[in-house]
Amino acid sequence: MDAVQKGITRHERGAYRADESTAQQAPPEPPWVGRVLREHRDGTVQLIAPTGYAWTAAPGDLRPATEEERAAYDAQVRGIQRERDALYRQLRGGAGS
């Protein structure tokens, strides 16, 4: 029985993680930050970006996101939600705007 079957997970659903494999030196780019959707039986972890893009990362490439990274993730989610809400209002003919 593997760790997932035993209920032992290293990456809890919803946890913020930074994927160091996505960082670049040139041009400098920080690692992608996502929230854990699920941990696969093979140990890989499926993450979701604020935009809704999902990717799979190796567990050795992940680290807990910093407070600043979590705040930036949440701010991006709020911005996307505001844009979506504004578009819905526009599509409804401006009701509530």
Side-chain angles (χ1 to χ4, degrees), residues 5-87:
Q5 288 172 322
K6 292 178 184 175
I8 303 167
T9 57
R10 292 183 25 221
H11 303 287
E12 294 293 324
R13 181 176 171 82
Y16 296 84
R17 296 289 183 259
D19 181 357
E20 292 292 346
S21 73
T22 61
Q24 294 183 156
Q25 296 293 333
E29 289 288 332
W32 293 359
V33 174
R35 294 192 71 177
V36 174
L37 288 175
R38 65 178 283 198
E39 186 171 12
H40 299 280
R41 291 181 188 270
D42 65 359
T44 59
V45 179
Q46 186 178 26
L47 300 161
I48 189 163
T51 59
Y53 178 77
W55 79 100
T56 301
D61 293 332
L62 298 176
R63 63 168 172 75
T66 65
E67 186 175 325
E68 293 81 17
E69 289 168 330
R70 292 190 307 270
Y73 182 102
D74 290 340
Q76 189 174 2
V77 167
R78 285 190 303 274
I80 291 168
Q81 288 171 338
R82 279 192 303 273
E83 288 177 25
R84 182 198 64 216
D85 293 346
L87 286 171

